Amino acid sequence: MIEQWKLLKNPRLAARFDLIGMVTGLLLVFFMFGHAMMLATIVFGAETMDGLSMWLEDLYLAQAGAVGIVFVVLIHFVTAGRKLPLRVNEQKMIWRLTRRLSHLDTWLWLVQVVTGMLILLFVAVHLYFVLTTFPIEAVKSSTRVASNFGYFYAPMIIVIWLHLGIGLYRIFVKWTPFNRKILKVFKWLLILGFIADSLLVLKTFWAIGLQYVN
Amino acid sequence: MQEYQLEEYPGLNLYIALNKIREEQDSSLQFDFVCRAGICGSCAMVINGRPGLACKTLVSTLPKTITLNPLPVFKLVGDLSVDTGTWFREMAQRAGSWIHTDKEFDPEAVEERMSNEQALEIYELERCIECGCCVASCGTANMREDFMGAAGLNRIARFMIDPRDQRDGSDYFEVVGSDDGAFGCMGLMACDDICPKDLPLQSQLARVRRAMAKAAFAPKKKVAF
Ligand code: SF4
Ligand code: SF4
Ligand code: FES
């Protein structure tokens, strides 16, 4: 039997897509680290954060960044989403296997699929509000959080760090021979650490915002 | 689903338990075994949701009610018996599971040497008993029929290490450079956790994946038709 995919012009596409999925994933990880750090400047007061965001906006880094990130998110969605079970019988098979197997990493992959979908929604709503109220200012952000938008951001935080932590872990598992027990510890430290950090930052925004809302 | 009751005693393993059931309760029960010692790989089945070897599983390590299913992915023969042979033969053919070389074999000559590390590493991977547990526990293999599974990728890794095999990156790419091979694997690592022979599947999948990524960027070989 001749496997006809080998006769295609570019049988390397699967490999390329896999790599692009990984590279865009890594880019988004770095972006999120940066994003989290910048937001954390709120702890030093609204002025510090405004200073930083003004500087980024003057250099057009914030604007270009937003467009760039949307682009990267979409590419990541398409390349990583190739692995999703699209047919009903595939979905049934993977669901039956996962339920029976009681194997955490296999469950986490389903978590990855669900959080990935949710992130698309969250990011769309988040960007809509940030970009329609441009420029980014601490007071604006805090009043948004305090006017009950915090209930939107809290689950978003959890979903994003879960997706990021699990994804980063899987990159290491797939490409390196590092001991998985150690990688697992790092994964959970990273996920819990960043969720805690982000929730704290959210709480700070909320507290500042409440002063203005009332 | 049929149910059987059995008295447990110390040292009872699933393989003996199944034989007792067949002798005393249901002579039509189908399941496979040969070696009774975790060497032949024929007694693999799904034990309370997890693929494993019946002859290596003590009943005392399991709860009171034990649910057994045949391995998924493979063709069902009947009850707990599946045909892993056909799958593994096809895999071996696709993987080109032999030393590819254009050197003439000279039965008189002294065997070529390889380093001790290489020999040991190959030996480690050759320990696969083709039980099919890794394939049955793999999300990708359950969804996609043509996926070569951890056993298949492990086989490729074995020949990549072998200095006598003259295949290079692009030759292997033909075999596993697709979604049916290295890039189908999603890194769920059920295979690595479940392999009853504890093969280092994670590191071998990573080895093949790295080699294939490299091959995907190497200059193309010209192929004429
Ligand atoms: S790591 Fe790859 S081969 Fe192993 S179970 Fe997961 S998808 Fe299958
Ligand atoms: S790699 Fe392990 S689980 Fe897979 S067939 Fe070989 S021995 Fe069985
Ligand atoms: S009977 Fe041979 S492995 Fe169990």
Side-chain angles (χ1 to χ4, degrees), chain B:
Chain B
M1 185 82 73
Q2 284 136 293
E3 279 187 32
Y4 306 97
Q5 306 265 351
L6 202 71
E7 184 103 12
E8 187 189 336
Y9 59 82
L12 178 69
N13 67 29
L14 271 183
Y15 151 77
I16 301 175
L18 282 168
N19 268 295
K20 275 178 84 84
I21 292 172
R22 182 155 66 184
E23 266 162 39
E24 296 163 9
Q25 305 184 28
D26 180 354
S27 60
S28 78
L29 184 64
Q30 294 185 53
F31 59 93
D32 299 320
F33 65 91
V34 179
C35 71
R36 295 160 288 145
I39 300 168
C40 72
S42 14
C43 66
M45 56 187 69
V46 178
I47 306 162
N48 282 346
R50 287 197 154 216
L53 299 178
C55 70
K56 249 187 109 187
T57 308
L58 284 173
V59 174
S60 59
T61 58
L62 298 168
K64 277 218 169 90
T65 315
I66 304 168
T67 312
L68 301 176
N69 297 95
L71 289 185
V73 183
F74 302 101
K75 202 166 122 203
L76 186 63
V77 178
D79 294 337
L80 297 169
S81 168
V82 293
D83 174 9
T84 47
T86 307
W87 192 96
F88 275 93
R89 192 164 57 245
E90 258 171 41
M91 181 276 280
Q93 264 162 13
R94 273 169 72 193
S97 193
W98 56 89
I99 305 269
H100 292 237
T101 177
D102 50 19
K103 286 194 194 135
E104 281 292 324
F105 177 65
D106 177 3
E108 307 286 308
V110 189
E111 254 185 86
E112 264 178 72
R113 282 180 163 268
M114 67 169 82
S115 77
N116 202 33
E117 290 80 50
Q118 282 171 329
L120 285 174
E121 221 177 339
I122 291 175
Y123 180 71
E124 174 77 358
L125 306 191
E126 287 258 328
R127 281 174 38 244
C128 170
I129 56 174
E130 304 200 349
C131 63
C133 290
C134 55
V135 180
S137 61
C138 168
T140 312
N142 271 271
M143 286 193 291
R144 320 241 145 104
E145 210 183 346
D146 290 330
F147 182 56
M148 287 183 81
L153 294 168
N154 176 65
R155 186 68 57 86
I156 293 286
R158 177 243 173 275
F159 286 98
M160 280 180 171
I161 300 167
D162 199 316
R164 295 166 298 176
D165 197 306
Q166 292 173 338
R167 282 180 283 182
D168 64 7
S170 66
D171 296 321
Y172 289 117
F173 193 86
E174 291 270 303
V175 186
V176 282
S178 70
D179 285 338
D180 294 341
F183 301 109
C185 164
M186 302 185 291
L188 313 181
M189 290 299 142
C191 52
D192 191 67
D193 287 328
I194 275 173
C195 172
K197 301 304 275 185
D198 288 324
L199 260 75
L201 294 175
Q202 180 203 342
S203 57
Q204 298 319 310
L205 294 174
R207 176 204 299 275
V208 176
R209 187 186 298 271
R210 286 195 306 266
M212 289 308 99
K214 216 168 122 195
F217 286 97
K220 274 186 201 162
K221 271 190 190 170
K222 281 264 179 285
V223 187
F225 288 105

Side-chain angles (χ1 to χ4, degrees), chain A residues 45-188:
Chain A
E47 298 80 33
T48 322
M49 186 187 137
D50 283 345
L52 182 67
S53 66
M54 253 162 64
W55 178 70
L56 285 177
E57 277 150 26
D58 285 345
L59 292 172
Y60 289 98
L61 274 177
Q63 296 86 328
V67 177
I69 287 300
V70 171
F71 204 61
V72 178
V73 168
L74 288 179
I75 297 179
H76 183 70
F77 174 69
V78 173
T79 48
R82 287 167 58 246
K83 301 284 166 64
L84 294 183
L86 295 177
R87 299 190 194 156
V88 178
N89 58 352
E90 289 175 354
Q91 289 161 356
K92 272 197 199 143
M93 283 306 251
I94 191 93
W95 179 237
R96 188 182 72 163
L97 177 85
T98 310
R99 251 186 16 233
R100 270 192 190 173
L101 202 58
S102 68
H103 177 251
L104 188 61
D105 279 13
T106 304
W107 270 114
L108 287 184
W109 181 70
L110 278 195
V111 171
Q112 198 73 342
V113 171
V114 174
T115 50
M117 300 288 177
L118 288 175
I119 286 175
L120 275 189
L121 283 177
F122 277 125
V123 167
V125 176
H126 169 64
L127 271 179
Y128 174 77
F129 281 102
V130 171
L131 294 180
T132 49
T133 56
F134 219 66
I136 299 166
E137 280 164 14
V139 172
K140 248 192 256 168
S141 306
S142 348
T143 39
R144 186 163 70 233
V145 170
S147 55
N148 290 335
F149 237 81
Y151 295 111
F152 166 84
Y153 280 118
M156 178 170 175
I157 285 169
I158 296 173
V159 161
I160 286 196
W161 291 118
L162 266 178
H163 190 87
L164 186 150
I166 300 170
L168 197 58
Y169 162 79
R170 292 221 344 269
I171 289 182
F172 275 94
V173 161
K174 276 158 82 175
W175 294 89
T176 72
F178 291 143
N179 183 323
R180 218 143 40 89
K181 285 206 188 83
I182 299 173
L183 289 177
K184 277 182 186 165
V185 174
F186 273 112
K187 169 179 69 182
W188 290 115

